[in-house]
Amino acid sequence: MVKLEIQGISKSYTPGQPVLKPIDLTITPGEFFFLLGPSGCGKSTLLRIIAGFIKPDSGSILFDSHNVTTLPPEKRDAAMVFQNYALWPHMTVFENVAFGLETRDIRGEIKRNRVMTALEMVKLADLAERKPASLSGGQQQRVALARAIAVKPKMLLLDEPLSNLDAKLRDSMRFELWRICKDSGLTAVYVTHDRKEALSMADRIAVIHNGLIEQLGLPEDLYRTPNSRFSAEFLGNANFFPATVKTIEKDSCIIETPFAVLKAVIPAMPVRPGLKCTAMIRPEFLSFTTVSAGENIFEAELHTGAFLGEVSLWNIIANDLFLTLCELRPASRKKGSVVKIAVAPENIVLLPEA
Amino acid sequence: MKPFRVLTIVVLTVFFSVFMVLPLYTVVSQGLDPAIIGEALASPVYQTGLFNAFKIAIVTTCLVFLISLPLAMLYDRFEFPGKTMVNMLMMLPMILPPFVGALGFQQIFGHYGVLNSALQYFSIAPVDWLGGEGRFYAVCLIEALHLYPILYLNLVTALANVDPSLDEAARNLGAGRLRRFLKITLPLIRPGIFAGGSIVLIWSFTELGTPLMLGYNTVTTVQIFNGITELETNPLPYALVVIMLLLSAGLYSFSRLALGSNGSAQMMKGSTGTVTRTLKYYQAWLCSGVFALITFCAVLPHMALTFGAFGLDWYGSVLPKSYTMMHFENALSHEIVIPSIMNSLKYSSLAMLVCIAIGLPAALLIVRWRPKGWQLFDVMIMMPLAVPGIIMAFGYLSMCARNPWLNQIFDPIANPTLLLAAAYAMRRLPYVVRAVAAGLEQTPETLEEAARNLGASSWMTLRRIVVPLIGANLVVGALFAFSFSMLEVSDSLILAQKSAFYPITKAIFELSQILGEGSYIACAFGLWAMAFLACTLLTASILLGKKLGSLFKF
């Protein structure tokens, strides 16, 4: 297990158009760390810089305080699981997994044992003599993982390893991947654009946007209290509306919105009375209530709804403002009816005005 | 930069400097004298030679288009019986150098050949097919029947890359068949037309073997060949070579200007592939018939060569009067035959080794490493396709004549082994690099990165990952380099000057000049060469499949 330090890493492919602006980040030993962001945000570039495939324009990469920035990929001992798995088609599963061991001069029985242990870990020991082309996508993905962990690397780098799998297999592979990484006790850096993947597996997440870390934190914190509209939108569905801070109390503030005066918790950003900002509420934090009046209860008209089985998504109109509400255990409701909606103060997030 | 990459760049630079730049420079510096060029251009004999060379190039290219375009369209658009075999059949004409095909052609169209014998059988007076302008059209026809597969393969690849929805969109907007072809298909396959067409144009403009074998001597290439013996005293061949080089460059530039834009090709990436139509029973068989007819015509010289090799007293009759193995025995017992086979094996093996040793790193350089200025190497590697063989061969000769230090190493008169091997390697290098580059382009780079990531050095990655993955392409490249070297014409005719060093092609040419049995022995020898190249192309076709056409591109 190693500590990874990224110090002031930047990269441009064309002058004046940086893919990565100077980034600083520390990943603790044994951490399962996610780089999350949309396509083209620079997350894969950062991963490939850590692996040594791309030279940064500036900055350093440190493994356990040892500067590896100028080391070639083969000297870094940071095994990577590629998006397309990169299994060598001319070798069997066994030979694929054994390759990294052979480069380390591990031969004979020890090599065999290490390969089989890795394959057993991914539950593919029976397929050791098969060629990659005869395996399913999920099996190929597991071989790629076995190949990486067989060498007992200092660090595991995963470049969207589940993106080529279908949705069902992806769901089942998530836990398996997490289990294997945790069992191996490796420091892992995982690149993805899939928020569900990141939220369900990560110890910590860095949301990358335009070559910069937009937000860094625990999955739940990021989801509940995003620090920007981008983070809020990227991590899940959200209702945004304008708000003005009216008064500030001890640990809360009163805000005026187009449809009601609401109480919200004090956000991380500095606030003062009169501050115009954007308020955000996740659809599942809005709920129907039978209480007719009270704190953070407002009236709305039920506009349209979509029944999705375990939940229903409702579009409600509160004083001409469209909001989305996600109802667990959906009840039968009449479109066009006037309903009362409640929201807890801690579920209203104030963000800088867009 | 890593030492291996530096070494590759140095080796490529030296190789191209000595075997491409220096010979061209020597020829140009000798021949680029306005007075001498003026003298050459003022000579009515040379004027006629140039005019004829142009005529051959234009007529051959037109013939090639007339044959290839309909065939490629039929192949692309329709399903018909035997379609799976068609691309293999299309390679048949290439299994014989056209100048050897000329031997067979003479058996068919000669005054006492097959055709006239058939006419006489029906009491029709014989025609002097190869007399007067007939010889010119014979040269064009032989070259067209040899070269059309190059354009055909390029067109088939280009058509396969055209997204069918583009044609459907035009159809949806009411465009008829002809309009769609002219406005949509033709502009989109322009890069393919250029790639194949420019090779055919320059190849036929500078072809030496066919006119030489058919005795069509008033053409520039033959005039240059005949001028070699008086090189020390007569500077006109130099001027002719420079004129030919400039005209070749002009023809290439013109065709690139007219056809070479690849903007459309860029847009076609991610296309969904061709949708073929099923024809009615008789229409489908008609399609097959067209392919069969063209293939039959194309292999007629090969058939005649085969009959010539086995036939006895084939004179004034449709088929030989009897058959014998005597010509093969005579061929083997002729004093120049066995040494020429050994010589060709030696030269070609050396050339193949040079091609692989240089071609693999060169392909890595232009596909993977891409250092600053890699495009220059890409252009250099493809140059031998654009510079005519006769000009290169002439360049080597004059390079040795003008540089004593080079003459000590490569002296073509004392021993042309090294020079011929290098010349063959230079001519075939584009095919090897193309074949290897195609393999590299089809292999995801992540496979190499995965190896590096697991601790493999560059050398280990090359040995354990790259070479096994592109093994088929390497084998095809090596096969092409070897077999085309075995049947190389221009370099062989010009650089091998002593009979002890004759390669196969020069031996065939010399044998064909012997009166009496000579042409039959040459036929027997040519048949062996044909079988050899057939095996090579068959192997390459099996290994590369549909991608075979990519080897015949600029």
Side-chain angles (χ1 to χ4, degrees), chain B residues 56-65 68 140 143-152 154 193-207 251 255 385 552 554:
Chain B
I56 290 172
I58 301 295
V59 173
T60 303
T61 309
C62 289
L63 278 173
V64 165
F65 265 98
S68 307
C140 297
E143 288 185 19
L145 288 174
H146 177 71
L147 295 175
Y148 80 86
I150 293 176
L151 184 62
Y152 169 82
N154 275 291
I193 295 175
F194 165 71
S198 49
I199 290 184
V200 172
L201 189 70
I202 293 172
W203 190 320
S204 50
F205 180 60
T206 58
E207 167 71 10
L251 282 175
S255 52
L385 287 181
F552 298 99
F554 271 114

Side-chain angles (χ1 to χ4, degrees), chain A residues 10-21 210-211:
Chain A
S10 70
K11 180 72 190 173
S12 299
Y13 293 112
T14 41
Q17 293 176 322
V19 179
L20 283 177
K21 292 156 191 168
N210 286 338

